[in-house]
Amino acid sequence: MTVLPERLSVTEETSTPKTSAPSAQHMIAFSPSGKRGHFAAGVSVLEAARRLGVDLDSVCGGRGICGRCRVALVEGADVKRDIVSAATHASPPGAVEERYARLRGAFGPGERLGCQALICGDLLVDVPPESQLHRQVVRKRAEAYPVKVDPVVRLYYVEVAPPDMADPASDFRRLAKALSEQWGLGESSARLPVLRGLQKILRDGQFAVTAAVRHGREIVALYPGLKERVCGLAFDIGSTTVAAHLCDLASGNVLASAGRMNPQIRLGEDLMSRVSYIMMNPGGDRELTAAVQDALAGLARETAAEAGVATQDIVEVTIAGNPIMHHLALGLDPSELGMAPFALTIDAGFDLPAAEIGLALAPGATAHALPCIGGHVGADAAAVVLCEGPYLSDELRLIVDVGTNAEIVLGNRERLLACSSPTGPAFEGAQISSGQRAAPGAIERLRIDRETLEPRFKVIGCDLWSDDPGFAASARGLSATGICGSGIIEAVAEMAIAGILRPDGIIDGELAARSPRIVADGRTFAYVISQGEPRIAITQGDIRAIQLAKAALYAGVKLLLERYGVDKVDRITLAGAFGSHIDPLYAMALGLIPDCALDKVASAGNAAGTGARIALLNAASRREIGEVVQRIEKVETAIEPRFQAHFVEAMAIPHASDAFPHLESRLGISFARAPSAEPRRRGGRRRG
Amino acid sequence: MTVLPERLSVTEETSTPKTSAPSAQHMIAFSPSGKRGHFAAGVSVLEAARRLGVDLDSVCGGRGICGRCRVALVEGADVKRDIVSAATHASPPGAVEERYARLRGAFGPGERLGCQALICGDLLVDVPPESQLHRQVVRKRAEAYPVKVDPVVRLYYVEVAPPDMADPASDFRRLAKALSEQWGLGESSARLPVLRGLQKILRDGQFAVTAAVRHGREIVALYPGLKERVCGLAFDIGSTTVAAHLCDLASGNVLASAGRMNPQIRLGEDLMSRVSYIMMNPGGDRELTAAVQDALAGLARETAAEAGVATQDIVEVTIAGNPIMHHLALGLDPSELGMAPFALTIDAGFDLPAAEIGLALAPGATAHALPCIGGHVGADAAAVVLCEGPYLSDELRLIVDVGTNAEIVLGNRERLLACSSPTGPAFEGAQISSGQRAAPGAIERLRIDRETLEPRFKVIGCDLWSDDPGFAASARGLSATGICGSGIIEAVAEMAIAGILRPDGIIDGELAARSPRIVADGRTFAYVISQGEPRIAITQGDIRAIQLAKAALYAGVKLLLERYGVDKVDRITLAGAFGSHIDPLYAMALGLIPDCALDKVASAGNAAGTGARIALLNAASRREIGEVVQRIEKVETAIEPRFQAHFVEAMAIPHASDAFPHLESRLGISFARAPSAEPRRRGGRRRG
């Protein structure tokens, strides 16, 4: 969390010739870094680490109070490793370490404070992960890249000279001097809200304070005495939900996460209806901005309370969101994004005082809005790109983040393309007659018997399939409340496979004679999954909504593939809540995504949220994504004639075995040739 | 107001060898700068000026719409000056200049737009003052230094590329690109409030806009189309009054000035009572801050209305004030300034968003708070130093700014000392029984007949002395309403000269037998100036108040003289309202200021306000005063034992002829030896 001054010269073994009296120098080796060097007796382990560039933390600057430089002196290292290490080769623990142990808990075997243990012989020093300054946030997925914790804000404990009438230097000047002298920082600055609390905090701490300093220059918060932890908040602002992750800026750990419905929904379900609201209602943009900013402020309070952290300890914020949410959250009128040529106010990532968007955090807390890729591909897509790192990949990657719009990114380290496709909310269970969000009670898996056309399904919150003997006894089983996005995909795909759907997407009414599941529904037909209360069925309108959504998604993908000049990709990543629940097999069967080896299709979870978290925890990542975004070729679906063509073509319901012959066995069932299999073949979708 | 790109190379005569075909080059000479050089035919006069570094303005960048590069082509210059100049040596006026003349008024003889007149022969070009970029603000006083108009904010007219769906660069990116390509600016930034108006302004101006850019980097305001003038506000925040000067940032002219009582007065008459108020009332600092910020906002609206300028056109603010006013105006709790060791929150000059102190100006308007010298010598004293420039002087200068405290600066280019002395408000007419501010009706001049002890006086608003025949007929004469600071000084000095005061400052009651002007007033006596309604008299309490004030002032001056090791100075400057009204002769007679040749004593008027104006108009002056302030030796009167000694010593009422023998004749009267002259001599003040 803190850095050490860099002005002292390094006495590294490789760069320094052996001195004339090597006997006076002791060999110190650090693990796990493997760095080693010779130092004179009396040098502290912390100082040796600093000179060698070993990643050893310190907030208090070697005063023995923060304990962040705890190390273990390893006994009995192999002599062949040129190290004879023993606790006797370091100065014995003194009063400072005894006080620390009394106040903060005893030391383990060999454990010492690096700032207090002085070298008096060869030593092998183990730096435990919790004492490393730049920890790696280990990702769970193999294809994800590790991220170093290296935040823009670090803590510096300083002892400031008290005021002196004979030298009227202001409190701020003496604080800046202490930061310069004790930590090697350059010129410090602070914004007015930070200055406003300065005098009281200095006196509360009896002139010993911890400063949270941004980019080594700007003091964004000040705390009396030793402060060991400050936090950051990563926001992912979706059209439907707003999510926040509160992170410890030193460890990178997520302390609390929370989400809530985007309160703008009452002013317009989807993005375009919100832009319309603004165009129809003067001041409507301020109303929408107030709604989302209230939600952000509420999430800040909620996550802070959950983690037991004061909101004043939150010093940095990152914001990802689609272009319209990005603009509304920042109080930028998004009207121009509602019509061609879809001009953004600003596309580059930029910093603003968090208070300017209504967040009451640390007095100098700064929010960093991630860059937008284009008028339709926002900071959420940039966050997904940052999370997934296709720009570091040799493989050709397709990344699809399905929300109310689908953000699609295609490329590798050579070239990157991106577009946004208006899928609408159908994949999220909205605008579907029995649709609901993925919550307990929702049907999430569905299979249809190819002969009887009877369904079996699974409900969120119950491990049993509906045809398992115990299902009826389960309260859940009796009360399926609707069908969520992944359930709808499987339902439509299974209906197609079972021959209930014709290639043009019409529910085949002739089948009503064969199965009571096919029933008339006005002038069309519906497939009834559950006769319970409520009745759950897939109507012709639902099929149309899914057809439109999947056609939009696929047309966008197709456009990028064409532009790139390929027809298949090496790896597909499905991001977002929808991508987390969907079975890739069915996504492929229904033609949502192009052909790809199934083991190369994976969900990335909330990649936009993770990207916002990476930007929060790693300073360099902000520059990195800023540069990458400039390299991305933006494809505007709205003006691409080919998009319409692809869209119309992709409206068809493919017969899975036509499209992906290898899927038949993968689906774990043999594809039944439904009675209407022959005519279906005719209209089958041709794939390029 | 605008600068030209600096990336093109200069073809100055002195640095460029004559080319092989000098006949193709024409000699262009500019007056009044005297700069000259050779240019090829077809180069514009503006371009030639730019290459030679001639100070020729342009806001529109040579598009012929702003008219700021108007020049006169001089006819018939002397051939010996190597110039054959004639209107025929420039391209004839074209459509652009005809349009300009039609819209903006006809040209005078020889007048052209420098950007439109192309060179086709030798030319002598006169640049009138209104076309010069860096005009000098001419001061009225000989000892004052000229100040160049070179503000931190300049205007740049640009034509921005409209948005293009095929290249989704944001509006801000295209604006920044236009500023870079059309004006050579580097990377541009803008704060969120500026970004919020960006899209509408660009479209209102059909993508032709004028950007107000701070330090060549930060866009602080944006206006549709061509904008020719933006303004700045200089604030001088005194304990008693708050003053504002609205200036045209291009010409430096003051467009409007206004002042109002500091509304904090209702919460405490003097500074210390306001700090006490804060200490006694939790939240009292916010109340005092709100009061002064309201006054600043009101003055901004008032001066803008008077000048016919929109508040949105005010892009920059400077703030001078004593330390407590400086802190309260910025919302910094001044409690620490109310007790030793008088620690300032911040002493360096610094920038803050104007909105953070409640000023609704241009969206990105910035306020610059001038630096404070010490806990008792504030940004007002820094502004006085900037105005008077003692740090540029060879003479040893004493500058005294009397307000509720007296700020005293002593020094020259070698060394500078400063202190503040608690004079209290007596010099301003406050805490004086018949005292009032310097306003119509106030007695401002007073003489006492050495024999009869009868007074004669002058009242503000009437040119006659009270013993002039016409005075009684004047309505003013009949209604003297009180006595102001300068009147009190003269009254006390005249009372001393006339022998009414004993050296210890006691009004000599024995004189009541000689003159009806001396009357009993409780256990002491008073001198009655006017028996009208109201009765105007100088009481013993008034004498004590003046004694305390003048002793404090002189003790501060004396302390600095001692510290410097001198006992006289070359020049004395009296700043502030009090300094403007007081007769230096009487100030010297009463011992307010040390001995000095009378023609070297002058009033500087509102030097703090002028200093704030200089900081507003000249970017370099901010760095300059920041550096000077660091060099000033701050003398803290509160901990100087010598201050108390000087103070006690200076309490005595000097007999003018004792103190300054040469004053007797200068006062234009022979010093009467009053009956009590002998004992007065005994207690006479000894001066070091």
Side-chain angles (χ1 to χ4, degrees), chain B residues 229-575:
Chain B
R229 184 169 77 175
V230 285
C231 301
L233 255 178
F235 284 118
D236 171 23
I237 310 174
S239 313
T240 310
T241 55
V242 184
H245 306 287
L246 182 71
C247 300
D248 179 330
L249 285 186
S251 68
N253 295 337
V254 176
L255 303 176
S257 291
R260 51 175 72 180
M261 296 295 289
N262 187 328
Q264 297 177 336
I265 280 183
R266 67 180 170 83
L267 301 170
E269 177 86 14
D270 60 27
L271 288 175
M272 281 308 140
S273 61
R274 288 178 214 168
V275 174
S276 303
Y277 181 85
I278 291 165
M279 290 170 164
M280 310 287 281
N281 299 278
D285 58 327
R286 288 192 296 277
E287 201 179 339
L288 282 154
T289 290
V292 71
Q293 291 186 353
D294 276 356
L296 300 182
L299 285 168
R301 288 190 297 269
E302 187 181 331
T303 51
E306 190 190 324
V309 162
T311 51
Q312 295 286 307
D313 293 355
I314 304 174
V315 295
E316 185 78 10
V317 170
T318 51
I319 294 174
N322 63 55
I324 290 174
M325 282 304 115
H326 166 278
H327 274 45
L328 281 173
L330 300 178
L332 302 169
D333 185 337
S335 297
E336 290 297 327
L337 295 169
M339 55 193 167
F342 313 108
L344 290 158
T345 295
I346 184 163
D347 50 20
F350 73 106
D351 293 342
L352 57 138
E356 281 188 6
I357 53 169
L359 294 171
L361 309 175
T366 305
H368 177 81
L370 270 76
C372 288
I373 298 174
H376 279 139
V377 193
D380 51 352
V384 168
V385 170
L386 180 58
C387 171
E388 289 299 311
Y391 54 89
L392 301 170
S393 167
D394 292 319
E395 292 181 321
L396 183 62
R397 295 188 59 181
L398 175 69
I399 304 166
V400 177
D401 187 2
V402 176
T404 311
N405 288 291
E407 330 281 5
I408 308 166
V409 176
L410 174 72
N412 52 25
R413 66 167 73 245
E414 301 298 329
R415 186 180 177 197
L416 282 169
L417 302 169
C419 74
S420 174
S421 226
T423 48
F427 287 149
E428 298 175 292
Q431 295 177 8
I432 296 291
S433 61
S434 298
Q436 71 159 86
R437 299 192 187 285
I443 294 173
E444 58 166 347
R445 298 272 169 264
L446 188 112
R447 300 288 179 270
I448 297 176
D449 187 280
R450 277 71 174 130
E451 297 303 325
T452 64
L453 306 186
E454 279 300 298
R456 47 196 286 271
F457 55 84
K458 272 184 77 174
V459 168
I460 295 178
C462 178
D463 288 339
L464 302 175
W465 282 85
S466 61
D467 57 352
D468 278 323
F471 183 78
S474 144
R476 273 291 169 237
L478 292 174
S479 62
T481 51
I483 184 162
C484 69
S486 60
I488 294 162
I489 298 298
E490 298 197 3
V492 176
E494 285 281 324
M495 285 168 77
I497 293 167
I500 299 171
L501 290 187
R502 301 199 320 228
D504 58 2
I506 300 295
I507 297 176
D508 190 348
E510 291 172 21
L511 296 178
R514 245 186 74 202
S515 162
R517 295 282 170 184
I518 316 291
V519 299
D521 182 39
R523 311 180 77 176
T524 58
F525 290 84
Y527 177 76
V528 179
I529 298 169
S530 162
Q531 294 284 10
E533 182 58 45
R535 189 185 86 146
I536 298 169
I538 305 291
T539 68
Q540 189 61 57
D542 298 340
I543 302 290
R544 280 287 172 237
I546 292 294
Q547 277 181 293
L548 291 168
K550 75 147 189 119
L553 176 57
Y554 191 81
V557 171
K558 184 77 178 166
L559 199 61
L560 295 194
L561 291 171
E562 270 191 355
R563 186 67 72 91
Y564 200 100
V566 290
D567 58 7
K568 66 186 299 226
V569 299
D570 298 325
R571 185 180 289 278
I572 297 177
T573 306
L574 299 168

Side-chain angles (χ1 to χ4, degrees), chain B residues 114-330:
Chain B
C115 62
Q116 300 299 316
L118 307 182
I119 294 165
C120 43
D122 292 353
L123 282 170
L124 178 59
V125 182
D126 186 49
V127 179
E130 58 272 21
S131 297
Q132 288 170 22
L133 178 55
H134 294 132
R135 265 158 273 188
Q136 287 195 348
V137 177
V138 179
R139 308 277 192 88
K140 283 174 197 141
R141 293 172 304 116
E143 75 275 20
Y145 300 88
V147 173
K148 246 191 198 171
V149 177
D150 185 15
V152 296
V153 179
R154 296 185 177 285
L155 289 176
Y156 300 87
Y157 172 86
V158 282
E159 290 169 1
V160 179
D164 173 2
M165 222 163 353
D167 168 18
S170 65
D171 280 356
F172 183 76
R173 187 176 297 275
R174 286 177 284 104
L175 169 62
K177 194 175 174 207
L179 284 166
S180 164
E181 289 179 353
Q182 294 167 36
W183 288 98
L185 298 191
E187 202 170 332
S188 293
S189 68
R191 290 195 299 110
L192 194 53
V194 177
L195 291 176
R196 284 179 177 151
L198 178 67
Q199 295 202 305
K200 183 167 188 318
I201 293 166
L202 274 174
R203 281 152 189 83
D204 285 352
Q206 294 175 289
F207 297 97
V209 293
T210 306
V213 183
R214 194 169 194 268
H215 288 306
R217 289 186 303 270
E218 187 195 346
I219 301 169
V220 295
L222 204 63
Y223 305 92
L226 177 68
K227 176 85 179 173
E228 299 190 70
R229 184 169 77 175
V230 285
C231 301
L233 255 178
F235 284 118
D236 171 23
I237 310 174
S239 313
T240 310
T241 55
V242 184
H245 306 287
L246 182 71
C247 300
D248 179 330
L249 285 186
S251 68
N253 295 337
V254 176
L255 303 176
S257 291
R260 51 175 72 180
M261 296 295 289
N262 187 328
Q264 297 177 336
I265 280 183
R266 67 180 170 83
L267 301 170
E269 177 86 14
D270 60 27
L271 288 175
M272 281 308 140
S273 61
R274 288 178 214 168
V275 174
S276 303
Y277 181 85
I278 291 165
M279 290 170 164
M280 310 287 281
N281 299 278
D285 58 327
R286 288 192 296 277
E287 201 179 339
L288 282 154
T289 290
V292 71
Q293 291 186 353
D294 276 356
L296 300 182
L299 285 168
R301 288 190 297 269
E302 187 181 331
T303 51
E306 190 190 324
V309 162
T311 51
Q312 295 286 307
D313 293 355
I314 304 174
V315 295
E316 185 78 10
V317 170
T318 51
I319 294 174
N322 63 55
I324 290 174
M325 282 304 115
H326 166 278
H327 274 45
L328 281 173
L330 300 178

Side-chain angles (χ1 to χ4, degrees), chain A residues 163-166 168-174 191-193 195-196 198-199 203 293 327 330-333 336 340-348 350 352 356-357 373-375 630 634 636 638-639, chain B residues 163-166 168-174 191-193 195-196 198-199 203 293 327 330-333 336 340-348 350 352 356-357 373-375 630 634 636 638-639:
Chain A
D164 173 3
M165 226 167 342
S170 66
D171 281 355
F172 183 76
R173 186 175 298 274
R174 286 177 284 105
R191 290 193 299 111
L192 194 53
L195 292 175
R196 284 178 177 152
L198 178 67
Q199 295 202 305
R203 282 151 188 83
Q293 290 185 352
H327 274 44
L330 300 178
L332 302 168
D333 185 337
E336 289 296 329
F342 312 108
L344 289 157
T345 295
I346 183 164
D347 52 21
F350 74 106
L352 57 138
E356 281 187 5
I357 52 168
I373 298 174
Q630 282 305 300
K634 295 92 185 171
E636 181 52 72
I639 52 165
Chain B
D164 173 2
M165 222 163 353
S170 65
D171 280 356
F172 183 76
R173 187 176 297 275
R174 286 177 284 104
R191 290 195 299 110
L192 194 53
L195 291 176
R196 284 179 177 151
L198 178 67
Q199 295 202 305
R203 281 152 189 83
Q293 291 186 353
H327 274 45
L330 300 178
L332 302 169
D333 185 337
E336 290 297 327
F342 313 108
L344 290 158
T345 295
I346 184 163
D347 50 20
F350 73 106
L352 57 138
E356 281 188 6
I357 53 169
I373 298 174
Q630 283 305 299
K634 296 92 186 169
E636 181 50 73
I639 53 163

Side-chain angles (χ1 to χ4, degrees), chain A residues 291-636:
Chain A
V292 71
Q293 290 185 352
D294 276 357
L296 299 182
L299 285 170
R301 287 190 300 270
E302 186 180 330
T303 51
E306 189 190 324
V309 163
T311 50
Q312 294 287 308
D313 293 355
I314 303 173
V315 296
E316 185 79 10
V317 170
T318 51
I319 295 174
N322 63 55
I324 291 175
M325 282 304 114
H326 166 278
H327 274 44
L328 281 173
L330 300 178
L332 302 168
D333 185 337
S335 298
E336 289 296 329
L337 295 170
M339 53 196 169
F342 312 108
L344 289 157
T345 295
I346 183 164
D347 52 21
F350 74 106
D351 292 343
L352 57 138
E356 281 187 5
I357 52 168
L359 294 172
L361 310 175
T366 305
H368 176 81
L370 271 76
C372 288
I373 298 174
H376 279 138
V377 192
D380 50 351
V384 168
V385 170
L386 180 57
C387 171
E388 289 301 308
Y391 53 89
L392 301 171
S393 168
D394 292 318
E395 291 181 323
L396 182 62
R397 295 186 59 180
L398 174 70
I399 303 167
V400 177
D401 188 2
V402 176
T404 310
N405 288 292
E407 331 281 3
I408 308 166
V409 177
L410 174 71
N412 52 25
R413 66 169 72 247
E414 301 298 331
R415 186 180 177 197
L416 282 169
L417 302 169
C419 75
S420 174
S421 226
T423 47
F427 288 149
E428 299 176 293
Q431 295 177 6
I432 295 293
S433 60
S434 298
Q436 72 160 83
R437 298 193 187 285
I443 293 173
E444 58 168 346
R445 298 269 169 267
L446 188 112
R447 299 287 179 274
I448 298 177
D449 188 281
R450 276 71 174 128
E451 296 305 323
T452 65
L453 306 186
E454 279 300 296
R456 49 197 283 270
F457 55 85
K458 270 182 83 173
V459 168
I460 295 179
C462 178
D463 288 339
L464 301 176
W465 281 85
S466 62
D467 57 353
D468 278 321
F471 184 78
S474 143
R476 271 292 168 236
L478 294 173
S479 60
T481 51
I483 186 162
C484 70
S486 60
I488 295 163
I489 297 299
E490 297 196 4
V492 176
E494 285 279 325
M495 285 167 77
I497 293 168
I500 298 170
L501 291 187
R502 302 197 322 223
D504 58 2
I506 300 297
I507 297 176
D508 190 347
E510 292 172 22
L511 296 177
R514 245 184 74 197
S515 164
R517 296 283 169 182
I518 316 293
V519 298
D521 181 38
R523 309 179 79 175
T524 57
F525 289 85
Y527 177 76
V528 179
I529 297 170
S530 164
Q531 293 285 9
E533 183 55 46
R535 189 184 86 146
I536 299 168
I538 305 292
T539 66
Q540 189 62 57
D542 298 341
I543 301 289
R544 280 287 171 236
I546 293 295
Q547 276 180 295
L548 291 169
K550 75 147 188 122
L553 176 57
Y554 192 81
V557 170
K558 183 79 179 168
L559 200 60
L560 295 194
L561 290 171
E562 270 191 355
R563 185 69 71 94
Y564 199 100
V566 291
D567 57 8
K568 66 188 291 207
V569 299
D570 298 325
R571 186 181 289 278
I572 297 176
T573 306
L574 300 167
F578 173 77
S580 303
H581 288 99
I582 197 169
D583 184 333
L585 201 59
Y586 281 91
M588 223 180 276
L590 201 57
L592 267 63
I593 51 174
D595 198 10
C596 182
L598 261 184
D599 63 347
K600 296 282 192 175
V601 182
S603 159
N606 179 6
T610 304
R613 215 147 48 79
I614 292 172
L616 183 66
L617 296 174
N618 182 282
S621 71
R622 299 185 187 181
R623 282 191 303 277
E624 187 172 296
I625 191 61
E627 289 161 13
V628 167
V629 158
Q630 282 305 300
R631 287 203 281 119
I632 294 177
E633 298 166 44
K634 295 92 185 171
V635 178
E636 181 52 72

